[in-house]
């Protein structure tokens, strides 16, 4: 029996030391120490021994059980260490491999131009204001002295939301003049950039959505001289010192008098070229002195206060600045185009 125990010791310890798998190790434990295991079956034969032999054999068997248990425990530690090592190797990351490059976007070229304009006006003490694109016809037209029946109110030109033509997508940023006069303390110096909408087919110079910048000053004693001086300064900051301007009489319902501001073509110096379409001049914006009816409609006494306003198209400015010949490029957001700026 002693020999059987000795054989079991050798076989089991060797098997345990050879084992590399936790599950297999557990099955070895069952195989040797389980209820139907090999040690148990040896112990069953204790009955055959003489009473004198039994204690020594029992001790030997207990020692063997303890040793096998200890061997299994030790081996378990080794196996889990091995498993961890294998995992670390399998899941290792090569930190020296080149990374995936993250491409960082940048501001849209048109918004660079807008930022430039904002900076110019902020430098002159103007405030930047924002307002609704879904607008009441009252603000987009009526309060701006644009009467019922004016062609710009036609359904063919304007996106209306309601049958009664009372709610629409603003067709100009000029309603921001009304919002400002109704809500702000006087004096007012503000610009209001934003999207406007008109029923135009897309082509090289038209889009149903585009951007305008509205500007307005309301104070005591404001005259056309202030309008000219301020806009001349703005033009010089955008197009460079010495840029020649021309204020041409025009008509807008909400300003009186009204004008359009042209700059002499910076490409040809006024002789006429493709950039200015042979005209020698490039139209930049519409402007004028805020109409007394408009002031009065906003609760401002036209005998005490006066003001000037302008509205300009942002896309046109950006196209000129970056020598882009097609408006669609501004909106398509093709990265091959945008990444050039
Ligand atoms: N709102 C006009 C347009 O869309 C532009 C304009 C002209 C704005 C004269 C003004 C202004 O503030 O005084 O054509």
């Amino acid at each position: 029996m002693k020999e059987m125990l000795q054989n079991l010791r050798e076989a089991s310890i060797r098997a345990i030391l050879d084992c590399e798998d936790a599950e297999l190790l557990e099955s070895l434990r069952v195989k040797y120490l389980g209820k139907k295991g090999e040690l148990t079956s040896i112990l069953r034969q204790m009955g055959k021994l003489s009473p004198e032999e039994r204690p020594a054999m029992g001790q030997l068997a207990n020692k063997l059980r303890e040793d096998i248990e200890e061997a299994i425990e030790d081996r378990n530690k080794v196996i889990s260490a091995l498993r961890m090592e294998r995992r670390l190797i399998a899941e290792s990351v090569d930190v020296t491999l080149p990374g995936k490059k993250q491409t960082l976007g940048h501001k849209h070229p048109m918004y660079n131009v807008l930022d430039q304009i904002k900076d110019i006006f902020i430098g002159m003490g103007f405030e930047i204001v924002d307002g609704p694109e879904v607008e009441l016809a009252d603000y987009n037209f009526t309060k701006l002295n644009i009467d019922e029946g004016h062609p710009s109110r036609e359904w063919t030109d304007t996106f209306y939301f309601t049958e009664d033509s009372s709610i629409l997508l603003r067709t100009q940023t000029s309603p921001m003049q009304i919002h400002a006069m109704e809500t702000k303390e006087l004096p007012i110096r503000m610009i209001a950039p934003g999207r406007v909408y008109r029923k135009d087919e897309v082509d090289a110079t038209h889009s149903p959505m585009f951007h305008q910048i509205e500007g307005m000053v309301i104070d005591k004693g404001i005259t056309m001289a202030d309008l000219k001086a301020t806009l001349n300064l703005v033009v010089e900051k955008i197009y460079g010192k010495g840029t020649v301007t021309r204020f041409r009489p025009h008509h807008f319902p909400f300003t009186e008098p009204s004008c359009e501001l042209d700059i002499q073509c910076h490409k040809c110096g006024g002789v006429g070229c493709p950039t200015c379409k042979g005209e020698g001049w490039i139209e930049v914006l519409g402007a004028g002195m805020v109409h007394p009816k408009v002031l009065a409609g906003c609760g401002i006494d036209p005998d005490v206060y006066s003001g000037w306003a302008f509205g300009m198209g942002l896309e046109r400015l950006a196209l000129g600045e970056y020598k882009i010949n097609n408006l669609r490029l501004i909106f398509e957001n093709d990265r091959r185009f945008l990444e050039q700026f």
Side-chain angles (χ1 to χ4, degrees):
M1 185 163 186
K2 195 172 172 183
E3 202 174 311
M4 287 167 76
L5 287 173
Q6 188 56 34
N7 288 343
L8 177 57
R9 168 180 291 278
E10 277 168 26
S12 63
I13 300 294
R14 194 180 322 117
I16 289 166
L17 287 178
D18 284 348
C19 180
E20 296 207 340
D21 179 274
E23 267 174 51
L24 215 65
L25 193 63
E26 176 58 19
S27 71
L28 288 179
R29 200 183 60 76
V30 174
K31 176 170 163 26
Y32 299 126
L33 305 179
K35 271 185 200 146
K36 294 173 185 165
E38 292 181 19
L39 183 61
T40 315
S41 75
I42 295 174
L43 289 175
R44 284 220 179 88
Q45 300 172 34
M46 288 274 267
K48 293 180 191 161
L49 294 176
S50 67
E52 297 78 46
E53 283 174 312
R54 270 181 219 162
M57 238 8 100
Q59 250 178 14
L60 219 58
N62 277 339
K63 180 76 172 65
L64 178 56
R65 171 180 293 279
E66 277 168 23
D67 289 350
I68 291 177
E69 274 170 357
E70 196 182 312
I72 288 175
E73 203 176 307
D74 288 350
R75 192 62 198 165
N76 233 332
K77 285 182 191 149
V78 173
I79 287 173
S80 50
L82 265 173
R83 199 200 293 151
M84 176 58 87
E85 196 177 319
R86 284 202 199 109
R87 226 180 111 183
L88 284 176
I89 290 167
E91 296 176 9
S92 71
V93 175
D94 183 352
V95 293
T96 65
L97 278 175
K100 283 189 192 131
K101 201 172 157 207
Q102 297 286 328
T103 48
L104 201 61
H106 61 76
K107 203 164 266 176
H108 190 285
M110 191 174 68
Y111 282 88
N112 287 333
V113 174
L114 177 57
D115 282 351
Q116 189 193 350
I117 306 267
K118 282 182 181 172
D119 279 351
I120 294 169
F121 279 97
I122 288 169
M124 298 190 297
F126 282 61
E127 174 186 3
I128 316 272
V129 299
D130 199 8
E133 291 170 25
V134 176
E135 187 54 282
L136 298 174
D138 249 9
Y139 283 76
N140 195 80
F141 296 127
T142 315
K143 285 167 184 267
L144 287 163
N145 197 32
I146 302 171
D147 291 331
E148 302 280 344
H150 190 280
S152 67
R153 298 182 77 133
E154 292 280 326
W155 273 69
T156 48
D157 294 332
T158 302
F159 294 104
Y160 285 102
F161 288 102
T162 51
E163 282 294 330
D164 66 357
S165 310
S166 61
I167 303 173
L168 45 76
L169 283 173
R170 67 179 178 190
T171 62
Q172 50 184 355
T173 44
S174 299
M176 288 309 295
Q177 292 184 31
I178 309 297
H179 287 296
M181 286 189 273
E182 284 186 349
T183 57
K184 291 191 181 299
E185 298 270 334
L186 296 170
I188 298 167
R189 280 174 174 72
M190 68 90 175
I191 62 166
R195 293 190 183 89
V196 300
Y197 302 84
R198 291 182 196 174
K199 277 192 184 168
D200 282 325
E201 294 292 333
V202 175
D203 66 23
T205 54
H206 291 87
S207 158
M209 186 279 292
F210 57 103
H211 295 72
Q212 286 187 335
I213 306 171
E214 197 75 13
M216 187 182 71
V217 171
I218 308 282
D219 203 347
K220 287 176 181 158
I222 298 291
T223 71
M224 197 89 183
D226 297 295
L227 181 159
K228 287 186 73 175
T230 312
L231 292 181
N232 275 335
L233 209 83
V234 172
V235 162
E236 284 208 324
K237 293 223 171 164
I238 301 173
Y239 292 99
K241 259 207 151 3
T243 304
V244 180
T245 58
R246 170 173 89 173
F247 292 80
R248 192 165 31 76
H250 202 78
H251 171 77
F252 297 106
F254 39 91
T255 44
E256 181 58 35
S258 302
C259 61
E260 280 192 327
L261 166 59
D262 301 335
I263 58 162
Q264 199 166 58
C265 180
H266 45 85
K267 261 277 178 72
C268 63
V271 184
C273 72
T275 299
C276 58
K277 297 189 194 92
E279 304 263 327
W281 296 89
I282 299 168
E283 185 198 316
V284 177
L285 53 80
M289 299 304 293
V290 179
H291 199 294
K293 266 174 86 171
V294 174
L295 288 171
C298 296
I300 295 171
D301 185 349
D303 292 329
V304 181
Y305 284 94
S306 56
W308 60 263
F310 74 87
M312 69 178 161
L314 181 56
E315 282 80 3
R316 176 121 55 96
L317 206 68
L319 293 184
E321 182 113 342
Y322 290 112
K323 314 265 181 292
I324 303 163
N325 58 11
N326 195 326
L327 183 63
R328 274 176 280 210
L329 290 166
I330 295 275
F331 299 121
E332 273 169 358
N333 288 334
D334 185 331
R335 282 175 55 184
R336 288 167 302 177
F337 167 75
L338 293 176
E339 277 163 6
Q340 297 175 58
F341 302 98

